[in-house]
Coordinates of all heavy atoms in Angstrom, one line a residue:
A11 N 178.3 132.3 140.7 CA 178.0 133.7 140.4 C 177.0 134.2 141.4 O 176.3 133.5 142.1 CB 177.5 133.8 139.0
P12 N 176.9 135.5 141.5 CA 176.0 136.1 142.5 C 174.6 136.0 142.0 O 174.3 135.7 140.8 CB 176.4 137.6 142.5 CG 177.1 137.8 141.1 CD 177.8 136.5 140.8
R13 N 173.6 136.2 142.9 CA 172.2 136.2 142.5 C 172.0 137.4 141.7 O 172.4 138.5 141.9 CB 171.4 136.3 143.8 CG 171.5 135.1 144.7 CD 171.1 135.4 146.1 NE 169.6 135.8 146.2 CZ 168.7 134.9 146.4 NH1 168.9 133.7 146.6 NH2 167.4 135.3 146.5
T14 N 171.2 137.2 140.6 CA 170.9 138.3 139.7 C 169.5 138.4 139.3 O 168.8 137.4 139.2 CB 171.8 138.2 138.4 OG1 171.5 136.9 137.8 CG2 173.3 138.3 138.7
A15 N 169.0 139.6 139.1 CA 167.6 139.8 138.8 C 167.2 139.3 137.4 O 168.0 139.5 136.5 CB 167.2 141.2 138.9
Q16 N 166.1 138.6 137.2 CA 165.6 138.3 135.9 C 164.6 139.3 135.5 O 164.1 140.1 136.2 CB 164.9 136.9 136.0 CG 165.8 135.8 136.2 CD 165.2 134.4 135.9 OE1 164.3 134.4 135.1 NE2 165.7 133.4 136.5
P17 N 164.3 139.4 134.1 CA 163.4 140.4 133.6 C 162.1 140.4 134.3 O 161.5 141.5 134.3 CB 163.3 140.0 132.1 CG 164.6 139.3 131.8 CD 164.9 138.5 133.1
D18 N 161.6 139.3 134.8 CA 160.3 139.3 135.4 C 160.3 139.6 136.8 O 159.3 139.5 137.5 CB 159.6 138.0 135.1 CG 160.3 136.8 135.8 OD1 161.4 137.0 136.4 OD2 159.8 135.7 135.8
G19 N 161.5 140.0 137.3 CA 161.6 140.3 138.7 C 162.0 139.2 139.6 O 162.2 139.3 140.8
G20 N 162.2 138.0 139.0 CA 162.6 136.8 139.8 C 164.1 136.9 140.0 O 164.8 137.9 139.7
V21 N 164.7 135.8 140.6 CA 166.1 135.8 140.9 C 166.7 134.5 140.3 O 166.1 133.5 140.5 CB 166.3 135.9 142.4 CG1 167.8 135.7 142.7 CG2 165.9 137.3 142.9
V22 N 167.8 134.7 139.7 CA 168.6 133.5 139.2 C 169.6 133.2 140.3 O 170.4 134.1 140.7 CB 169.3 133.8 137.9 CG1 170.2 132.6 137.5 CG2 168.4 134.1 136.8
V23 N 169.7 132.0 140.7 CA 170.7 131.5 141.7 C 171.6 130.6 140.9 O 171.2 129.4 140.6 CB 170.1 130.8 142.9 CG1 171.3 130.4 143.8 CG2 169.2 131.8 143.6
V24 N 172.8 131.0 140.5 CA 173.6 130.3 139.6 C 174.5 129.4 140.4 O 175.1 129.8 141.4 CB 174.5 131.2 138.8 CG1 175.4 130.5 137.8 CG2 173.6 132.2 138.0
T25 N 174.6 128.1 140.0 CA 175.5 127.2 140.7 C 176.6 126.8 139.7 O 176.9 127.4 138.7 CB 174.7 125.9 141.1 OG1 174.3 125.2 139.9 CG2 173.5 126.3 141.9
D26 N 177.3 125.6 140.0 CA 178.3 125.2 139.1 C 177.8 124.5 137.8 O 178.6 124.0 137.0 CB 179.2 124.1 139.8 CG 180.0 124.8 140.9 OD1 180.3 126.0 140.8 OD2 180.4 124.1 141.9
A27 N 176.5 124.4 137.6 CA 175.9 123.9 136.4 C 176.4 124.6 135.2 O 176.7 125.8 135.2 CB 174.4 123.9 136.5
S28 N 176.5 123.9 134.1 CA 177.0 124.6 132.8 C 175.9 125.5 132.3 O 174.8 125.5 132.7 CB 177.3 123.5 131.8 OG 176.1 122.8 131.4
V29 N 176.4 126.4 131.5 CA 175.6 127.5 131.0 C 175.5 127.4 129.4 O 176.5 127.3 128.8 CB 176.1 128.9 131.4 CG1 175.3 130.0 130.8 CG2 176.2 129.0 132.9
A30 N 174.3 127.5 128.9 CA 174.1 127.3 127.5 C 173.3 128.5 126.9 O 172.5 129.0 127.6 CB 173.4 126.0 127.1
V31 N 173.7 128.9 125.7 CA 172.9 129.8 124.9 C 172.3 129.0 123.7 O 173.0 128.3 123.0 CB 173.7 131.0 124.3 CG1 173.0 131.7 123.2 CG2 174.1 131.9 125.4
V32 N 171.0 129.2 123.5 CA 170.3 128.6 122.3 C 169.7 129.7 121.5 O 168.7 130.3 122.0 CB 169.3 127.5 122.7 CG1 168.6 126.9 121.5 CG2 169.9 126.4 123.6
T33 N 170.2 130.0 120.4 CA 169.6 131.0 119.5 C 168.5 130.4 118.7 O 168.5 129.2 118.5 CB 170.6 131.6 118.5 OG1 171.0 130.7 117.5 CG2 171.9 132.1 119.2
G34 N 167.5 131.2 118.4 CA 166.3 130.7 117.8 C 165.5 129.8 118.7 O 164.8 128.8 118.3
G35 N 165.7 130.0 120.0 CA 165.1 129.2 121.0 C 163.6 129.4 121.3 O 163.1 128.7 122.2
G36 N 163.0 130.3 120.6 CA 161.6 130.7 121.0 C 160.6 129.6 120.5 O 159.5 129.6 121.0
R37 N 161.0 128.8 119.5 CA 160.0 127.8 119.0 C 160.8 126.7 118.3 O 162.0 126.8 118.1 CB 159.0 128.5 118.1 CG 159.7 129.1 116.8 CD 158.6 129.7 115.9 NE 159.2 130.1 114.6 CZ 158.5 130.4 113.5 NH1 157.2 130.3 113.5 NH2 159.1 130.8 112.4
G38 N 160.1 125.7 117.8 CA 160.6 124.7 117.0 C 161.8 124.0 117.6 O 161.8 123.6 118.8
I39 N 162.8 123.7 116.8 CA 163.9 122.9 117.2 C 164.7 123.6 118.3 O 165.1 123.0 119.3 CB 164.9 122.7 116.0 CG1 164.2 121.8 115.0 CG2 166.2 122.1 116.5 CD1 165.1 121.6 113.7
G40 N 164.8 124.9 118.3 CA 165.5 125.7 119.3 C 164.8 125.5 120.7 O 165.5 125.3 121.7
A41 N 163.5 125.6 120.7 CA 162.8 125.4 122.0 C 163.0 124.0 122.5 O 163.2 123.8 123.7 CB 161.3 125.7 121.8
A42 N 163.0 123.0 121.6 CA 163.2 121.6 122.0 C 164.6 121.4 122.6 O 164.8 120.7 123.6 CB 162.9 120.6 120.9
V43 N 165.6 122.0 121.9 CA 167.0 121.9 122.4 C 167.1 122.6 123.8 O 167.7 122.0 124.7 CB 167.9 122.6 121.4 CG1 169.3 122.8 122.0 CG2 168.0 121.8 120.1
A44 N 166.5 123.7 124.0 CA 166.6 124.4 125.2 C 166.0 123.6 126.3 O 166.5 123.5 127.5 CB 165.8 125.8 125.2
A45 N 164.8 122.9 126.0 CA 164.2 122.1 127.0 C 165.0 120.9 127.4 O 165.1 120.5 128.6 CB 162.8 121.6 126.5
R46 N 165.7 120.3 126.4 CA 166.5 119.1 126.7 C 167.7 119.5 127.5 O 168.1 118.8 128.5 CB 167.0 118.6 125.3 CG 167.8 117.3 125.4 CD 166.8 116.1 125.5 NE 167.5 114.8 125.5 CZ 167.0 113.6 125.4 NH1 165.7 113.6 125.2 NH2 167.7 112.5 125.6
L47 N 168.3 120.6 127.2 CA 169.5 121.0 128.0 C 169.1 121.4 129.4 O 169.8 121.1 130.4 CB 170.2 122.2 127.3 CG 170.8 121.9 125.9 CD1 171.5 123.2 125.4 CD2 171.8 120.7 126.0
A48 N 168.0 122.1 129.6 CA 167.6 122.5 130.9 C 167.2 121.3 131.8 O 167.4 121.3 133.0 CB 166.4 123.5 130.8
A49 N 166.6 120.3 131.1 CA 166.2 119.1 131.9 C 167.5 118.4 132.5 O 167.4 117.7 133.5 CB 165.4 118.2 131.0
A50 N 168.6 118.6 131.8 CA 169.9 118.0 132.3 C 170.6 118.9 133.3 O 171.7 118.5 133.8 CB 170.8 117.7 131.1
G51 N 169.9 120.0 133.7 CA 170.5 120.8 134.8 C 171.3 122.0 134.2 O 171.9 122.7 135.0
T52 N 171.3 122.2 132.9 CA 172.0 123.3 132.4 C 171.2 124.6 132.5 O 170.0 124.6 132.3 CB 172.3 123.1 130.9 OG1 173.1 121.9 130.7 CG2 173.0 124.3 130.2
S53 N 171.9 125.7 132.9 CA 171.2 127.0 132.9 C 171.2 127.5 131.4 O 172.2 127.5 130.7 CB 172.0 128.0 133.7 OG 172.0 127.6 135.1
V54 N 170.0 127.9 130.9 CA 169.8 128.2 129.5 C 169.4 129.6 129.3 O 168.4 130.1 129.8 CB 168.8 127.2 128.9 CG1 168.6 127.5 127.4 CG2 169.2 125.7 129.1
A55 N 170.1 130.3 128.4 CA 169.7 131.6 127.9 C 169.0 131.3 126.5 O 169.7 130.8 125.6 CB 170.9 132.5 127.7
V56 N 167.7 131.6 126.5 CA 167.0 131.5 125.3 C 167.0 132.8 124.5 O 166.5 133.8 125.0 CB 165.5 131.1 125.6 CG1 164.7 130.9 124.3 CG2 165.5 129.8 126.5
V57 N 167.5 132.7 123.3 CA 167.6 133.9 122.4 C 166.7 133.8 121.2 O 166.7 132.8 120.5 CB 169.1 134.1 122.0 CG1 169.3 135.2 121.0 CG2 170.0 134.2 123.2
D58 N 166.0 134.9 121.0 CA 165.2 135.0 119.8 C 165.2 136.5 119.4 O 165.8 137.3 120.0 CB 163.8 134.4 120.0 CG 163.3 133.7 118.7 OD1 163.2 134.3 117.6 OD2 163.1 132.5 118.8
R59 N 164.4 136.8 118.3 CA 164.4 138.1 117.8 C 164.0 139.2 118.8 O 164.6 140.3 118.8 CB 163.5 138.2 116.6 CG 164.1 137.5 115.3 CD 163.1 137.4 114.2 NE 162.0 136.5 114.5 CZ 161.0 136.2 113.7 NH1 161.0 136.7 112.5 NH2 160.1 135.4 114.1
T60 N 163.0 138.9 119.6 CA 162.6 139.8 120.7 C 162.5 139.0 122.0 O 162.3 137.7 121.9 CB 161.3 140.5 120.4 OG1 160.2 139.5 120.5 CG2 161.3 141.2 119.1
E61 N 162.6 139.6 123.1 CA 162.4 138.9 124.4 C 161.0 138.3 124.5 O 160.8 137.2 125.0 CB 162.6 139.9 125.6 CG 162.7 139.2 126.9 CD 163.0 140.2 128.0 OE1 163.8 141.1 127.8 OE2 162.4 140.0 129.1
D62 N 160.0 139.0 123.9 CA 158.7 138.4 123.9 C 158.6 137.1 123.2 O 157.8 136.2 123.6 CB 157.7 139.4 123.3 CG 157.3 140.6 124.1 OD1 157.7 140.5 125.4 OD2 156.8 141.6 123.6

Side-chain angles (χ1 to χ4, degrees):
R13 297 160 63 93
T14 54
Q16 290 196 27
D18 64 355
V21 172
V22 174
V23 180
V24 181
T25 67
D26 291 334
S28 62
V29 177
V31 166
V32 180
T33 72
R37 63 177 186 164
I39 294 174
V43 168
R46 187 83 180 188
L47 296 180
T52 300
S53 299
V54 181
V56 180
V57 175
D58 217 300
R59 286 172 293 184
T60 69
E61 188 177 321
D62 286 346

